[in-house]
Amino acid sequence: MKCLKEIDAQVPKGLDAHIVMDNYATHKTPKIKAWLARRPHYHVHFTPTSASWINQVERWFAELTRKQIQRDVHTSVKQLETDIRTFIDLHNRNPKPFRWTKSADQILASVKRFCHKSPAGLMR
């Protein structure tokens, strides 16, 4: 609740806020649900159960690194911060969700192939 209140204090009036949360039970308590119900401009998106939400965060930072940070030489923290903020602004003009492109079967098959190749012989 403290985090939501801090976000709420920073979100300008009239702006929708999208929050990505994992499926942890504390995000679904009656108190949180009631707080969100009073704020229809908040849109909550839950990551799939048993999915690693941090992977999506890491994926976004990988995009930032690949598309913005690696392309330049930054001679100051201020210059780096400016480039990061520019990337965020451009990204937010046309945001697209990250989508898993492989099925569970494809992922498991890939893991199985990796384990068979592993020198440690993880799959026996």
Side-chain angles (χ1 to χ4, degrees), residues 63-74 83 87:
E63 287 289 302
L64 166 65
T65 300
R66 185 175 62 81
K67 291 181 176 178
Q68 186 70 38
I69 296 174
Q70 284 181 342
R71 294 177 177 221
D72 276 328
V73 174
H74 302 93
D83 280 354
F87 178 82

Side-chain angles (χ1 to χ4, degrees), residues 5 26 28 41 69-70 76 79 87 92 98 104 106 111:
K5 287 179 179 178
T26 57
K28 298 177 180 180
H41 61 287
I69 296 174
Q70 284 181 342
S76 69
Q79 185 183 25
F87 178 82
N92 286 342
F98 291 112
Q106 289 172 311
V111 170

Side-chain angles (χ1 to χ4, degrees), residues 16-66:
D16 282 4
H18 292 263
I19 302 173
V20 178
M21 297 182 181
D22 61 17
N23 272 296
Y24 196 57
T26 57
H27 300 142
K28 298 177 180 180
T29 63
K31 186 176 181 178
I32 298 292
K33 286 181 178 181
W35 190 90
L36 290 167
R38 291 190 305 272
R39 291 162 181 83
H41 61 287
Y42 276 80
H43 308 278
V44 179
H45 309 278
F46 290 101
T47 59
T49 302
S50 300
S52 175
W53 63 270
I54 197 71
N55 287 345
Q56 294 209 8
V57 173
E58 290 171 345
R59 182 69 188 103
W60 189 89
F61 278 103
E63 287 289 302
L64 166 65
T65 300
R66 185 175 62 81

